[in-house]
Amino acid sequence: KSRTHLSVIDTIQDFDLRTKATRFDEPVGIAFASNEKAYVALSSENRIAIVNVRTRKVTRHLRISAQDPRAIVVRHGKLYVIPFESNNKTQLSGGYKIDGKLVTFNAHEHSIANNNILSLGHVTDIVKHPRVPDRDLFVFDAKTDKLIETVDTLGTLLYGMTVDSKGTVFVAQTDARNEVNGRSGTKKHGLKELGNRAFLNQVTRVRFEAGKARKPEFLDLEPLPPENPAEGMALATPFAIEVSGDDSILFVSAAGSDKVFSMDAVSGEVLGRVPVGAVPRGIALYPGKAG
């Protein structure tokens, strides 16, 4: 009976009054900490805006030290944030002292001292470097907004996230295999080494014990290379993900395969799949249904 039923009642925006530029750029994910407080992921700003629901004003921001935060979830007093464009510790094999492993060309000589035509033709590889930062999951206290923990090495492109009643985090992601053909310069590695499979389609599970994240577990959605999925059985680009109310089943969209599938949240076994319209992304759970 409300006069505003199904009507827009307000629009939230945040401008810098001096520069007239927006400070609310590319809002992507949203999660409510309470009826008074909401979080909004500002993808291109690498920040989370904190919104006062009553005044509909942005009160402050949380900085995310990773690129392109999108999926956010609030559960049991904690805010969980993942960036979309994560990495997997790979980089070009440049450095000062060539060791044939992590450094296969002198980056200073080719790219700085001789940054001209003389630097053309140098051989580069891709290596997985243990010291490259890889911040994937940020956990904040939803009451104080303080960062509690950062978890790394969850995948390369992180699409969707859900959190069960025990605080276990599930991330739908694709993990790049670019280090498999990483010696593309010195050893001419290419698609043969990759088996023409540039990514692994996975769900990453992160359990917490005494408030600390345990080692991530990777639930493979397809056979590992060199074995390939059978025709029609690929589950490419796992995107949206939701967990059932009893924590037993995950519902995931495979955006690259035009399917929605269910999987056992413990064993990782794919239980069923159904073809849907092209490029399915968002999933919402209703009593007895997933849409």
Side-chain angles (χ1 to χ4, degrees):
K1 296 180 180 180
S2 170
R3 289 185 295 116
T4 57
H5 182 56
L6 297 181
S7 299
V8 175
I9 59 172
D10 209 337
T11 301
I12 297 173
Q13 184 53 278
D14 184 23
F15 284 101
D16 185 315
L17 297 180
R18 184 180 61 85
T19 64
K20 305 299 188 291
T22 180
R23 294 180 297 204
F24 204 73
D25 201 17
E26 289 193 37
V28 181
I30 185 169
F32 283 83
S34 66
N35 288 337
E36 292 76 38
K37 180 181 182 181
Y39 296 104
V40 179
L42 304 178
S43 176
S44 64
E45 304 247 347
N46 297 338
R47 298 192 297 176
I48 305 295
I50 302 175
V51 179
N52 183 307
V53 176
R54 183 181 59 82
T55 64
R56 301 184 178 93
K57 300 291 184 183
V58 176
T59 59
R60 58 183 295 239
H61 297 86
L62 303 176
R63 293 194 176 273
I64 304 299
S65 54
Q67 187 173 350
D68 208 357
R70 294 187 184 183
I72 60 177
V73 173
V74 173
R75 192 90 193 250
H76 299 318
K78 293 180 181 178
L79 167 67
Y80 301 86
V81 181
I82 56 172
F84 167 58
E85 298 185 79
S86 176
N87 63 56
N88 60 358
K89 295 184 177 292
T90 53
Q91 66 172 25
L92 293 178
S93 58
Y96 282 91
K97 186 176 180 181
I98 297 176
D99 61 11
K101 296 179 180 179
L102 296 179
V103 179
T104 62
F105 77 98
N106 189 314
H108 181 272
E109 182 69 21
H110 286 289
S111 303
I112 300 176
N114 297 294
N115 191 16
N116 51 39
I117 194 169
L118 296 177
S119 68
L120 296 178
H122 61 277
V123 176
T124 62
D125 292 314
I126 299 173
V127 296
K128 183 167 283 194
H129 201 296
R131 293 198 303 273
V132 171
D134 181 22
R135 306 178 186 96
D136 287 343
L137 173 64
F138 299 81
V139 185
F140 294 85
D141 186 308
K143 184 176 181 180
T144 65
D145 298 323
K146 299 295 184 182
L147 180 64
I148 299 173
E149 186 172 6
T150 304
V151 186
D152 64 9
T153 322
L154 302 188
T156 307
L157 297 180
L158 313 179
Y159 293 95
M161 173 176 54
T162 190
V163 184
D164 71 11
S165 65
K166 301 180 183 67
T168 301
V169 176
F170 297 89
V171 178
Q173 57 92 7
T174 55
D175 195 24
R177 305 178 64 233
N178 42 354
E179 84 282 1
V180 175
N181 68 336
R183 302 295 176 174
S184 54
T186 57
K187 295 184 180 180
K188 308 302 180 185
H189 286 177
L191 288 178
K192 179 181 178 180
E193 284 72 24
L194 275 175
N196 207 28
R197 289 178 65 181
F199 290 88
L200 297 179
N201 297 299
Q202 299 173 322
V203 169
T204 305
R205 179 171 56 205
V206 183
R207 305 178 194 264
F208 289 81
E209 187 174 300
K212 292 293 183 180
R214 294 167 54 183
K215 185 177 180 180
E217 304 166 87
F218 298 95
L219 309 178
D220 292 299
L221 304 178
E222 300 164 342
L224 294 176
E227 185 180 354
N228 290 314
E231 184 176 353
M233 300 300 284
L235 294 172
T237 319
F239 204 99
I241 184 169
E242 294 290 344
V243 64
S244 61
D246 62 359
D247 297 339
S248 65
I249 299 176
L250 296 169
F251 297 91
V252 192
S253 64
S257 296
D258 303 338
K259 291 182 176 66
V260 171
F261 62 96
S262 60
M263 61 186 298
D264 189 295
V266 177
S267 68
E269 177 187 1
V270 175
L271 304 174
R273 64 191 77 201
V274 59
V276 295
V279 198
R281 293 192 175 184
I283 288 181
L285 298 185
Y286 304 89
K289 297 180 180 178

